[in-house]
Amino acid sequence: MTISIKPETFPERIIWYTLLWTYGFFWIGGLYVVGSIVGWILLAYWIRQLWYQTEATPERDRIHIPWATWVWIVGMMMMEVALVVGHLDFNLETSLIIKSSIGWAKGWALLAVFPLIGTLKIRPQLLYRIACIIGFQSLLIFPVFLLAYLLHLPATPYVSPLQLIGGPGPEFFAPSLYEIDPSNGEPRWRLFTPWAPALGFVGNVYFVLASQERDRKWRYLGIIGAIFMCVISVSRLALLAIPIVFILTKILSSLARPFALISIGIASVLGGLVSPVLIMALEAFSDKFRSARADSSRVREALGRIAVDRWQNEAPIWGHGTVERGPHVAEFMPIGSHHTWLGLLFVKGIVGWIALAVPFLYSLIDLVIKSQTSETARVGLSMICILFLYTFGENLEILAYLYWLALIMMGIAFAERQEVHSEAVVYET
């Protein structure tokens, strides 16, 4: 039996219809623009609701900002401070500071804005269903992308004129039908994302959300669609993240259960006994992981070495303020890209690094505690685990316009009162 879910409030309608038209925005090259401004539209509504909130407002309708959300707000504000100081330290032009600040509003700021939106009346079930729908849409539309590859049509037929608005690069405004992996000549797909690994990132988020859907038909369609995104992205991290996040969430959300603690204790003892074998196995796995796409691993490692070296020697506190083009050994990729933590050190120094590390750590502790009794918090915990894993393969801020559903889910989990429990079942299939 199909469970009907329809948006009821203004925030729910904005979220629902924005995501429902994901592929429509993609074809006109407007997904980056829409994803960047939807948070600010909802923030304006949030401010209006807070403005009209009075003592007479029913408790269930009041806006309460949890401590975890405050930590994200302060952290992302510090990102802007580090950005400005970094620009001033290197005597960059005022126009570049303004441009970078606009970039901050479309990137780092959203990591605080969307969790704040989660304090509004937004049902998690709505997020679960829309994730399933997007997964199903991806399954339906993929034959078009496959046919384009088989017919050797142009991989990127056009770049949207919306590029004039400004953004990280043309790939954010250019619908891509397929791409060829230069390392092996095989096709991979990015669908509505700017590059293939980003599709795996979004696929992981949608997998967790879809697994909470109570309607069996939609749950299966959503899970299949999400896994399909990860597979066609040919991203190593995307395929690894699904089981890793599942295991992490199960363990961290069961710490209050005696059986789980006993099991962890036994596993620790056994792990100590066979640690040499485990270490050798991990080293072998790591070598195979890097060799699977050796060129990509080489470029990422080169970018990391350059970022750390220049951070230590040139701008350890506030960073360089902006990314720079890398050398030939890194295939001219921007220094500070492909790795959130190393990118932060290079661009925003140790200040920016701490500004992200503290919210991550606080959120993890907050959600681990709540997840012992709350299903919604377990979903939020899965979201923070996915984001953390992808800090080692992507720049979080540049893709916030795509995975903002995860940020809202985290905000809902932060704001949930611990005596209230969701009926969703984590990872039930």
Side-chain angles (χ1 to χ4, degrees), residues 196-262:
L199 179 63
F201 186 178
V202 177
N204 268 268
V205 171
Y206 287 173
F207 172 81
V208 173
L209 294 174
S211 67
Q212 316 310 310
E213 170 59 48
R214 288 178 292 182
D215 182 89
R216 181 174 297 181
K217 181 191 71 175
W218 276 116
R219 183 167 69 245
Y220 286 150
L221 288 174
I223 289 175
I224 293 171
I227 294 176
F228 183 72
M229 292 182 194
C230 296
V231 171
I232 64 173
S233 73
V234 197
S235 168
R236 297 165 294 174
L237 181 55
L239 296 174
L240 279 175
I242 291 178
I244 289 175
V245 170
F246 173 80
I247 295 171
L248 278 177
T249 302
K250 282 292 186 182
I251 293 174
L252 294 175
S253 63
S254 302
L255 295 180
R257 300 175 184 176
F259 177 78
L261 294 175
I262 294 172

Side-chain angles (χ1 to χ4, degrees), residues 72 76 79 108 111 340-341 344 352-360:
W72 279 99
M76 297 310 103
M79 290 288 188
W108 287 119
L111 272 70
T340 297
W341 302 109
L344 276 174
W353 193 92
I354 293 174
L356 181 64
V358 172
F360 255 108

Side-chain angles (χ1 to χ4, degrees), residues 164-216:
L164 296 174
I165 296 175
E171 63 271 22
F172 287 76
F173 302 92
S176 173
L177 300 178
Y178 61 91
E179 64 178 79
I180 303 298
D181 191 330
S183 64
N184 55 27
E186 295 296 321
R188 60 195 307 204
W189 285 268
R190 60 182 75 169
L191 298 186
F192 53 86
T193 65
W195 45 76
L199 179 63
F201 186 178
V202 177
N204 268 268
V205 171
Y206 287 173
F207 172 81
V208 173
L209 294 174
S211 67
Q212 316 310 310
E213 170 59 48
R214 288 178 292 182
D215 182 89
R216 181 174 297 181

